[in-house]
Amino acid sequence: MSQPDPLADFFAADAAPAVDRGFRMAVMEQVARRRLRVELALRSLATLLLFVGVALISPVLQRFAQLLGQDLSQVLLVMLAAGLVAYLGHFWLTRKPVLRLPHLRFF
Amino acid sequence: MSTPPTDAALVAAARSGSDAAFARIVDRYQGPIRTFLRRLGPYTSDADDLAQETFLTGWTELRGLREPARLKSWLFSIAWRKAKGEARTMARNRQRDHDWQEIRPDCETPETERAIALHQALAQLPPDQRAAVSLCLGDGWTHADAAGVLDMPLGTVKSHVLRGRTRLVEILGVDS
């Protein structure tokens, strides 16, 4: 029969608790913080890219608007207003935005 | 009774964004990782901070884990890398280590006495030897698995464990 390891008692006495809720909460809090930072950074980058994109194509957009003429511009304005009202109405009824930014989860 | 999910299943769920799955990974391995890191350094709070960083790095790099079934080894490798990164600080704090060895709590149970004795004995081993001993003797790892985690040749790990064990037995004054 093999002898028990004399060091086993020492190692057993030294073990950390198997599960410590406080430790888990601290880790998950840090995870949430890091996720928030990453998502903020990515969304800021996406917004910046959007602005740059719009700035780059703005001459084309302006020319397009001029080509449409005033009548069509008014129609577009009405459609835009109707869309906005529909969106707000849907939000009012469901309390959920129809348009939602994609949930960026890279980690 | 339902069987607990495998590591691979938890990794897959955590990768798809489940915080609950990652929390279960933390619960499953926090004990062994904290114990391992506590045995490498003198301060429990420092070791626990390092353990938190280990899990945070694990969460960040989870997508890079090639074999989800080897999650435990992978987390221990991260913990070991972090502990080695702290080596300079530990060297700077050698005096603090010495002071710490003098500290004895007012109220001691046989358990805490044994734990303190083990810490003091481990502190006298070189860091690589301490890590190999902690994994193989303290946590029941095979030499081969410990070699993988510590990124050392198998022969080196075997030698570390053998020498470390002999030294611990000598310092602690137990019969081998």
Side-chain angles (χ1 to χ4, degrees):
Chain A
M1 206 173 90
S2 63
Q3 290 281 324
D5 189 343
L7 295 175
D9 283 347
F10 286 90
F11 281 110
D14 181 49
V19 177
D20 176 348
R21 286 183 186 178
F23 180 85
R24 182 216 297 151
M25 281 174 67
V27 171
M28 296 313 291
E29 191 184 313
Q30 287 194 37
V31 164
R33 271 197 209 137
R34 180 163 293 184
R35 177 182 289 139
L36 180 70
R37 275 202 295 268
V38 168
E39 289 197 1
L40 275 177
L42 288 172
R43 281 168 195 261
S44 303
L45 185 69
T47 310
L48 184 73
L49 287 175
L50 189 71
F51 271 104
V52 170
V54 169
L56 284 174
I57 62 166
S58 65
V60 179
L61 287 178
Q62 277 175 1
R63 199 169 166 198
F64 182 67
Q66 281 168 359
L67 284 173
L68 280 176
Q70 203 168 355
D71 292 343
L72 276 175
S73 295
Q74 282 174 353
V75 171
L76 270 179
L77 205 65
V78 169
M79 283 172 70
L80 192 69
L84 191 66
V85 168
Y87 173 77
L88 290 174
H90 180 272
F91 181 68
W92 175 256
L93 290 172
T94 63
R95 295 286 191 272
K96 280 182 187 171
V98 182
L99 296 172
R100 212 172 197 178
L101 279 172
H103 192 68
L104 301 170
R105 193 183 289 280
F106 288 88
F107 297 99
Chain B
M1 209 174 95
S2 63
T3 52
T6 61
D7 282 355
L10 287 177
V11 168
R15 275 175 174 167
S16 62
S18 165
D19 281 349
F22 191 74
R24 286 193 78 166
I25 291 174
V26 173
D27 280 351
R28 191 170 284 181
Y29 293 116
Q30 60 164 280
I33 285 182
R34 289 168 78 194
T35 304
F36 174 59
L37 289 169
R38 283 179 185 191
R39 285 174 182 155
L40 295 183
Y43 294 99
T44 301
S45 56
D46 288 355
D48 283 358
D49 287 348
L50 222 51
Q52 283 185 23
E53 283 178 31
T54 299
F55 282 108
L56 193 59
T57 305
W59 179 79
T60 310
E61 295 177 2
L62 205 56
R63 286 185 187 278
L65 174 59
R66 286 180 198 158
E67 295 176 71
R70 294 184 57 81
L71 174 68
K72 185 181 180 185
S73 304
W74 182 71
L75 286 172
F76 269 82
S77 309
I78 296 173
W80 173 235
R81 281 205 311 269
K82 292 207 172 284
K84 277 201 293 189
E86 287 286 305
R88 279 186 201 158
T89 317
M90 285 177 183
R92 248 183 272 130
N93 294 338
R94 203 163 280 162
Q95 181 56 42
R96 218 170 51 154
D97 282 17
H98 183 264
D99 297 344
W100 164 78
Q101 286 181 30
E102 301 299 317
I103 296 170
R104 297 191 73 81
D106 296 336
C107 156
E108 284 179 4
T109 64
E111 291 287 294
T112 54
E113 267 184 21
R114 273 198 285 267
I116 290 168
L118 180 70
H119 269 249
Q120 288 177 341
L122 282 170
Q124 296 183 43
L125 305 182
D128 286 2
Q129 208 173 79
R130 207 183 307 171
V133 163
S134 298
L135 287 181
C136 296
L137 300 183
D139 206 25
W141 288 67
T142 63
H143 291 150
D145 284 346
V149 166
L150 302 175
D151 198 20
M152 290 176 195
L154 180 60
T156 309
V157 170
K158 283 182 179 174
S159 153
H160 279 331
V161 173
L162 190 68
R163 285 181 191 172
R165 190 181 187 288
T166 309
R167 187 90 180 98
L168 284 183
V169 165
E170 193 182 300
I171 298 167
L172 294 169
V174 291
D175 295 326
S176 60

